[in-house]
Amino acid sequence: MQHTATSTTDLDAPRADAETPTPLHRPNPTAVMAAIGRRSFAAIASTSPAGHPHAAGVLYELVGSDLFVSTLRSSRKARNVDACGRVGVTIPIRRLPIGPPSTVQFQARAEVLDVADPVIAAHVSDGRLRSVTGHGELELPDGCFIRISVPSRLHTYGLGMSLWSLIKDPMGAGGVVERGTR
């Protein structure tokens, strides 16, 4: 097999179909929020004040339209959220045991809350944070929570379409969800 060099201009050249982008489909907002609530793992990305990116896998619990993540105040993600107050979130939504998962992704406001914060205390008392407090997280001397406010606009990949449609048209799997004003 002969390898031919590809010039940078070939890589940067627009595709023939680039002028007609695939339209975004619109999954059901209630179904997307339900899918988020049935999951517990996400990747969150944050940025330091110096502009250094950081991504981490986390366990979360959805309460209302907020994600709660237990972490340590000294962790990079908590320090970045304290300093910048924003995160990027990607939640994988596995639909098949093989192949890439569908996803929900968004940018959001975030804040660090102490374990003793009244919001945390109320959610713990009501049992709404059981999955992120059941392993001693409330006893950690440096423990805290990150509250991520799920925005009204969410981006999706592969949700709201049949698996057959996803397999046939992976380039058309992007979607957007408008949950209403926030």
Side-chain angles (χ1 to χ4, degrees), residues 31-132:
V32 170
M33 288 303 290
I36 292 171
R38 286 191 303 272
R39 301 313 186 276
S40 61
F41 177 81
I44 65 170
S46 60
T47 307
S48 73
H52 300 284
H54 174 69
V58 298
L59 296 177
Y60 71 85
E61 181 76 39
L62 177 67
V63 178
S65 61
D66 291 328
L67 300 180
F68 288 88
V69 174
S70 174
T71 191
L72 298 175
R73 188 165 283 285
S74 59
S75 70
R76 182 170 292 155
K77 59 187 159 290
R79 292 191 322 261
N80 288 351
V81 167
D82 247 351
C84 299
R86 304 279 307 163
V87 294
V89 178
T90 298
I91 301 170
I93 311 285
R94 182 148 308 277
R95 297 170 64 196
L96 289 175
I98 58 169
S102 296
T103 59
V104 176
Q105 56 271 341
F106 53 88
Q107 296 177 21
R109 289 178 293 120
E111 65 180 320
V112 177
L113 301 175
D114 289 325
V115 171
D117 186 281
V119 170
I120 299 301
H123 290 332
V124 168
S125 175
D126 293 343
R128 290 181 265 176
L129 296 179
R130 195 170 298 130
S131 67
V132 293

